[in-house]
Structures are given as structure tokens and as C-alpha cells.
Amino acid sequence: MFTHLRLALMVASTIIVMTASAAAQVTTGSIDASPSAGFEENKGQISDQFGRARPDVQFSFVQKGFRMRLLRNGVAYELTQHSSLVDEGVHRPFKTPVEVHRVDVGFAGAAAMPRIETGEVLDGYANYYYAHLPETGATFVRSYASVTYRDLYEGVDMVVHTRASLDGSAWPVSTDFVVRAGADPAQIRIRYEGARDVRVTATGELEITTDLGTIREQAPVCRAQLPTGGYVNVGGRYRLEQGEVSFALDAYPTDAVLTIDPGLVWATYYGGTGDDVFNDVGSDLSGAIYAAGTTASTASIATTGAHKTTIGGTSDAMLVKFRP
């Protein structure tokens, strides 16, 4: 039985029933309005918590409670949590402060201005009309299935891409380091600024702890492509020394192209402004997790498109779906 008011799960969460997204999306709010299908280009629509434009952000990937910002020569993870305000006992749902915790992922010794290339263009586009934008807004904003940082290190590319789930939504994010023949993978040194703690777990995962949840990089999967076209698996693991993360690799042929692939998973707290109780949890064949219980929260529980998005009494029944 789950009786704590906030449940942490290593999956991306959503409330059923969700509505399908349109090909063109018009947004007038001040924060990311909907989950990403890919990496959305920044045409000026991305701003900080003070409404100031973020030109340092090149692309953005958004899921509930999590944002991944691709910067000019690094990455930023942003975990978010919404809360509501109660003024003299009256709930005002339009007032929704957002708490943000940011972790900057830097690459020690990397190129300051690596060449950035985009992959497949995804269907659809978004139009944004924010207060900090000109009257014409930011229109025809496209998303891409992948973004490559070419020669982030000498002979080493970083490819950030999404993987599609059964319903077409993006999960999770994967970051591949592609080490060309003759290049040295020991160049790769990663720093996490803003994390409460960084550690390698007993199962070989990299765990980055923040005030709003935990981000996990799965144990790296490494394989070398031989000049003949075949592949061989290469043993690899994280090495954490003096605050920098690198990869400890088994020997592999120097004329091969090595791919280091740690998958990204993130954890977030699920819960709202009141007492939330889960009484039963189950899963289906696709790996989705369902939790049933009750909620007394007036905000931060239901997502757009849910069967019911507002509380109807002092305590309501709820059914939650967490997608893998």
C-alpha cells in the first residue's frame, strides 16, 4: 500500500485520458505548454522565470515536470513543480507558481563552439505569442528527432535523440557519444553543476539528485562498428573522480567507431496541494503503471484532457497512468 502524499516513480507521468495533439499548436502562456515530440528549435520563445529571452538555448525537449535544454556547448536539465495559491480560503487556479531546479551539464575540455546539426524534421510546427516576443510572435517553430554536436571533442560527436513509444510520444532521451576511429574516448569528461549529489549506483547507473527529484543516466551500453561492417560489444562503466564523470572502457579495436549510449531516465514527485493517497498499483503489457487512490488536492494533479480536472468535494477518487 502506498500512503505517502508524494510518490516518486522512475517514469514520465500523465493522467488519463489524454487528447491527441494537433499539427499546429498556438501557445499564449509563459511556460512550456505541452510535452515535446522531439527537440524544438528556439526562435525566441524560450524565456527564464523572469520572462527574459534565453538565446543561449538552441533546442528544448519537454516532458511533464522535466525540460532538457540544449545549449551552445552543453545541456541543462530543468525539473519543475507547480503549486497553487490559496487566498483567504479561496482557491485561485490562475495563480500557479512554478519551482524550478536546474542542473547544468558541462563538458570539460570540449570545443567552445561545436557545429550543431539537426536530424529528421518532425511533422507539425508551433506558433508562440509570448509577452517578451514581438507582435509577430515566434512562428513555424519546428522540432527534430535528433541534434548532433559535431566534434564536441576531437573526433567525438554527441548525438541527442528521442525514442518513440507505442503511442508515438517521446520517451526517453538518449545521448550517444560517437568516437570515430583513432579518437580517444578518455577526452569525454562531464560535470554536473547545480546537483545536490552525483553518484554511481551499485547497478552501474549514474544518479543525479536535485531538490525536485532524481535524474538517472542508465549504465552505458557500448559497441564498436568494425571496418568490415560488423559490431562487437565493448564493456563500459561510469568513472566518477573529483566531480567529473568519464567512461571506463574495455579494450576495443582502434580502427572501429565506438558508440557509448547511456539512456536518460528521470524521476519526479507526483502530488498536489493536499493529501494524495494511492491504495493500489498495477501495470499493463506495455509497461505502463496505473495507480488508484484518492486526492484532496485542488491543483497539480490532473493534466489537460483528463476526464475531470477539478476537485468535486473534499476528497475525490483518482486514477493515474505513468508511461514508461
Side-chain angles (χ1 to χ4, degrees), residues 231-248:
Y231 291 88
V232 294
N233 294 326
V234 178
R237 57 213 151 271
Y238 293 111
R239 177 190 288 133
L240 179 59
E241 294 179 341
Q242 298 181 339
E244 290 185 350
V245 177
S246 58
F247 299 100

Side-chain angles (χ1 to χ4, degrees), residues 44-267:
Q45 76 275 11
I46 297 175
S47 64
D48 63 15
Q49 64 268 40
F50 303 108
R52 297 176 300 205
R54 289 280 307 276
D56 60 314
V57 176
Q58 307 297 299
F59 300 88
S60 182
F61 173 83
V62 179
Q63 289 290 297
K64 181 177 173 62
F66 177 84
R67 303 173 192 160
M68 184 179 189
R69 309 295 200 193
L70 302 186
L71 311 178
R72 192 64 190 82
N73 63 344
V75 176
Y77 297 148
E78 296 178 2
L79 283 80
T80 61
Q81 181 171 283
H82 294 249
S83 58
S84 67
L85 296 179
V86 177
D87 182 13
E88 297 179 355
V90 179
H91 174 60
R92 305 186 186 279
F94 55 86
K95 296 180 179 180
T96 54
V98 180
E99 184 178 359
V100 179
H101 191 102
R102 173 174 163 176
V103 176
D104 287 336
V105 184
F107 301 96
M113 298 287 286
R115 188 169 78 254
I116 297 178
E117 301 174 356
T118 54
E120 176 190 358
V121 181
L122 301 180
D123 293 337
Y125 58 89
N127 298 324
Y128 293 92
Y129 300 93
Y130 290 162
H132 70 276
L133 291 171
E135 289 185 1
T136 53
T139 59
F140 295 97
V141 178
R142 305 305 298 264
S143 292
Y144 301 86
S146 65
V147 176
T148 298
Y149 287 75
R150 193 70 68 188
D151 284 308
L152 181 66
Y153 293 95
E154 184 177 355
V156 179
D157 301 332
M158 183 176 73
V159 183
V160 189
H161 58 92
T162 63
R163 295 168 179 164
S165 65
L166 295 177
D167 64 1
S169 60
W171 73 277
V173 176
S174 181
T175 301
D176 298 351
F177 293 96
V178 180
V179 184
R180 296 194 290 275
D184 185 5
Q187 299 177 88
I188 305 170
R189 292 178 291 132
I190 309 169
R191 295 173 178 167
Y192 294 87
E193 301 291 341
R196 181 190 296 175
D197 184 48
V198 178
R199 71 183 188 95
V200 179
T201 69
T203 57
E205 294 180 322
L206 187 68
E207 187 174 86
I208 304 108
T209 303
T210 78
D211 291 340
L212 296 184
T214 301
I215 304 165
R216 285 191 178 180
E217 301 272 6
Q218 296 172 330
V221 176
C222 309
R223 66 175 185 171
Q225 182 179 9
L226 305 175
T228 58
Y231 291 88
V232 294
N233 294 326
V234 178
R237 57 213 151 271
Y238 293 111
R239 177 190 288 133
L240 179 59
E241 294 179 341
Q242 298 181 339
E244 290 185 350
V245 177
S246 58
F247 299 100
L249 302 170
D250 294 346
Y252 69 96
T254 57
D255 59 351
V257 177
L258 178 69
T259 299
I260 305 171
D261 179 13
L264 175 65
V265 183
W266 59 89

Side-chain angles (χ1 to χ4, degrees), residues 6-73:
R6 297 191 188 274
L7 176 66
L9 293 174
M10 296 304 300
V11 287
S13 60
T14 184
I15 306 294
I16 55 173
V17 176
M18 296 294 291
T19 58
S21 58
Q25 163 187 316
V26 178
T27 305
T28 57
S30 59
I31 61 173
D32 304 287
S34 62
S36 303
F39 297 97
E40 186 179 75
E41 63 184 334
N42 181 17
K43 286 190 171 182
Q45 76 275 11
I46 297 175
S47 64
D48 63 15
Q49 64 268 40
F50 303 108
R52 297 176 300 205
R54 289 280 307 276
D56 60 314
V57 176
Q58 307 297 299
F59 300 88
S60 182
F61 173 83
V62 179
Q63 289 290 297
K64 181 177 173 62
F66 177 84
R67 303 173 192 160
M68 184 179 189
R69 309 295 200 193
L70 302 186
L71 311 178
R72 192 64 190 82
N73 63 344

